[in-house]
Amino acid sequence: DVKVTQSSRYLVKRTGEKVFLECVQDMDHENMFWYRQDPGLGLRLIYFSYDVKMKEKGDIPEGYSVSREKKERFSLILESASTNQTSMYLCASSFVTGAHSGANVLTFGAGSRLTVL
Amino acid sequence: GDSVTQMEGPVTLSEEAFLTINCTYTATGYPSLFWYVQYPGEGLQLLLKATKADDKGSNKGFEATYRKETTSFHLEKGSVQVSDSAVYFCALNPRSGSARQLTFGSGTQLTVLP
């Protein structure tokens, strides 16, 4: 089975701290994603990467950056954490399947719950 | 733009009850449609999908039919179990769109009581 592993399940940080959320997948997927999950809002895409060193902004990139130096690893960075970034963060990955890429299935990690005080 | 509207939760049912979670969508063309499930303490996982009109996706006793005429993809199960307690997300992706275009509904919390 494909595995997507998020290194931290729970984090508590202070306002202004720099935060790194790490995600690793073990099935050679090209695509990797960072989502934010908030009650009543579903999942919102923060950043997407389709290859090493390649990234695209999602719907809510403000206050976040990402790094993908190796195919299997995709990091989300909060340069200066704020209380409104308290949330559940979900990493996901998928293959690129060509013509019917719209049918791609995402594999998710278990999530990282971040609290910013 | 594309959007997904799910029935609001939470939904509470007794074991063996019939389940329907409504999902309607707005999109151009013929998107692919998905139901993902999130069990407590876990990430999302694919429950079922359908990629063209009138397709029926099914898995673990759950079913959903892609209805182009009503732009719907309602999730149903004939007899729910306590282990089905989870949050259910409807999602769509344009047929040949980039994977980043996946759009999720807001999620429906289901609790099944013994």
Side-chain angles (χ1 to χ4, degrees):
Chain A
D1 275 356
V2 175
K3 250 201 152 141
V4 177
T5 303
Q6 296 184 230
S7 56
S8 304
R9 291 297 303 271
Y10 300 94
L11 303 94
V12 179
K13 298 292 182 181
R14 298 224 173 257
T15 301
E17 281 193 80
K18 190 168 187 175
V19 181
F20 291 88
L21 299 180
E22 303 286 339
C23 175
V24 177
Q25 51 94 2
D26 66 0
M27 281 299 288
D28 206 34
H29 282 174
E30 293 87 355
N31 295 330
M32 294 191 76
F33 309 78
W34 274 106
Y35 287 92
R36 174 175 169 159
Q37 181 181 8
D38 298 289
L41 297 178
L43 274 69
R44 294 179 291 169
L45 182 66
I46 305 172
Y47 267 97
F48 162 60
S49 171
Y50 52 92
D51 202 348
V52 175
K53 296 190 190 291
M54 306 305 288
K55 62 186 179 187
E56 286 185 12
K57 291 181 180 178
D59 300 318
I60 52 164
E62 296 79 18
Y64 304 94
S65 62
V66 290
S67 171
R68 193 163 179 203
E69 297 296 319
K70 294 185 178 181
K71 191 174 186 179
E72 68 271 18
R73 187 179 298 271
F74 192 37
S75 302
L76 180 69
I77 302 152
L78 288 67
E79 292 289 341
S80 178
S82 63
T83 55
N84 63 13
Q85 292 179 309
T86 292
S87 187
M88 170 70 85
Y89 291 89
L90 294 171
C91 177
S93 70
S94 73
F95 280 120
V96 174
T97 56
H100 297 300
S101 58
N104 278 355
V105 173
L106 269 61
T107 301
F108 284 84
S112 298
R113 184 166 293 283
L114 172 67
T115 301
V116 182
L117 302 176
Chain B
D2 297 344
S3 66
V4 175
T5 302
Q6 283 183 240
M7 77 187 263
E8 289 193 17
V11 174
T12 303
L13 296 173
S14 297
E15 206 163 25
E16 298 184 4
F18 184 85
L19 168 71
T20 300
I21 300 178
N22 290 339
C23 172
T24 57
Y25 67 90
T26 301
T28 55
Y30 295 85
S32 295
L33 300 173
F34 307 83
W35 277 101
Y36 282 83
V37 59
Q38 184 179 32
Y39 297 104
E42 299 182 15
L44 280 71
Q45 58 185 269
L46 179 71
L47 181 59
L48 53 84
K49 70 176 183 180
T51 58
K52 60 183 189 294
D54 300 324
D55 262 3
K56 178 185 282 189
S58 62
N59 186 24
K60 300 182 181 181
F62 290 89
E63 292 182 340
T65 301
Y66 189 139
R67 301 284 188 204
K68 179 68 177 173
E69 62 277 10
T70 54
T71 61
S72 65
F73 193 54
H74 304 322
L75 182 68
E76 297 182 336
K77 186 175 186 183
S79 176
V80 293
Q81 306 300 312
V82 172
S83 57
D84 294 326
S85 298
V87 182
Y88 293 81
F89 292 90
C90 186
L92 73 80
N93 207 352
R95 183 163 179 79
S96 56
S98 162
R100 73 169 298 285
Q101 294 173 270
L102 188 64
T103 300
F104 287 89
S106 57
T108 302
Q109 171 80 55
L110 170 67
T111 301
V112 180
L113 302 175

